[in-house]
Every structure is written in structure tokens, then in C-alpha cells.
Amino acid sequence: MSLLDPDQHFMQEALKEAQAAYDADEVPVGAVVVLNNRIIARGHNQVELLNDSTAHAEILALTSAYSALGTKYLPEATLYVTLEPCIMCCGALYWGKLGRIVYGASDEKNGYRKFKWIPKIYPRPLALSSQNRITRRRTGKRMCFFDEGFFQGEAVSSPVI
């Protein structure tokens, strides 16, 4: 592990996945699942490649983690994702009982926080749950890729990392 704090280190790894998505002409979102300070799964958006609107980075990383561990719940794991999860991914994170979620950039258009009615649907809402801790964590200038360009419809030519 690098000299960065663990959140920064693992967000850097998620950014590498986002770069892979970007290089493949996908929306550049990357995710890693961490358990006991080790990455157990990775994922990046593959919506275009798989022709599947559910092939988001979070879903693919979760599926890989479940498979690697032979389980369907990850209460001790942390998901690091470069963009605020959408409502679909939020549901998957809720059902997977993730212990912690760390995301980089906010998503005003499609992020889970846009939906004020979430607490009314889930008896233990992800956004407010003490069991699911959500942290917005920037890693410095590298997150600017997400905050200042791509998701406002501007073309970004520089790499994520």
C-alpha cells in the first residue's frame, strides 16, 4: 500500500478502473471493494460493451466480490466508487449490506441524493443508515475530471489519473 491514507489509496485504485472505462468509451466510473485493507473486487462501467444498462461499476464490482467470497452480503466491506451511486446501485448496495461506501464526485443529475423519497421506501435507508456509512471523499485534483467536465457534457481529453 502507498503512503496515502487508506481512503485515498483505494480511491486511486477506483480511479484506475474509471480510466479503463474512459479508455473503452464508457462513462468513466470505477469501483473497488475492499475487505481487511485488501481489494477483493474491481469494476468499471461496461454498459456499452455489454449492451446492458445495469452494467455499472458498482454492480460489477459487487458481483465479483460476492463470487470471490461465496457470499451475498458484505457487512465488513467498503466500496470505493468514483461517482455518487445512482438509485439502482444504491439499492444493490443496500441489499448487499455494505458496511461503508466512499464516493468521489457528486452526481447532481442521477445520484441517489436526488431522490428525497428513498427513506420512505427502505425501512433502513441507505442514505441515513448507521449500518451503511457513506462518505464523500475527494482525492485532490484527480477528481476534477468528474467534477469539472465529463458529466456536464464537455469532452475531456486528459486522462483520469
Side-chain angles (χ1 to χ4, degrees):
M1 187 178 304
S2 72
L3 297 176
L4 299 172
D5 75 56
D7 282 349
Q8 288 182 340
H9 172 74
F10 293 121
M11 188 60 75
Q12 294 285 340
E13 293 299 313
L15 282 164
K16 290 177 185 176
E17 290 297 316
Q19 182 68 57
Y22 180 78
D23 292 345
D25 293 325
E26 297 278 355
V27 173
V29 179
V32 295
V33 179
V34 175
L35 183 65
N36 299 323
N37 277 332
R38 294 187 60 185
I39 295 174
I40 60 169
R42 297 173 173 270
H44 59 268
N45 276 5
Q46 295 184 32
V47 171
E48 301 302 325
L49 175 68
L50 300 176
N51 198 30
D52 178 355
S53 61
T54 67
H56 290 196
E58 301 94 314
I59 302 293
L60 297 175
L62 287 174
T63 300
S64 180
Y66 299 144
S67 194
L69 297 178
T71 187
K72 59 186 176 184
Y73 302 121
L74 299 167
E76 303 299 319
T78 299
L79 174 82
Y80 292 86
V81 61
T82 56
L83 186 67
E84 177 183 342
C86 71
I87 191 73
M88 174 188 70
C89 292
C90 216
L93 295 167
Y94 171 83
W95 290 112
K97 303 182 188 312
L98 268 283
R100 184 168 177 243
I101 300 141
V102 179
Y103 69 88
S106 294
D107 185 354
E108 302 293 325
K109 183 178 174 187
N110 294 310
Y112 79 91
R113 293 178 305 140
K114 173 183 174 182
F115 301 95
K116 307 293 185 203
W117 43 265
I118 290 175
K120 295 177 184 172
I121 292 177
Y122 297 126
R124 190 185 71 203
L126 181 65
L128 304 174
S129 172
S130 61
Q131 292 182 11
N132 294 97
R133 297 176 308 167
I134 298 178
T135 305
R136 180 166 187 245
R137 182 69 185 255
R138 291 178 182 258
T139 58
K141 292 181 181 177
R142 292 187 175 150
M143 288 312 298
C144 290
F145 177 89
F146 297 101
D147 287 338
E148 297 175 3
F150 188 88
F151 295 102
Q152 281 76 41
E154 299 172 19
V156 177
S157 59
S158 61
V160 177
I161 54 176

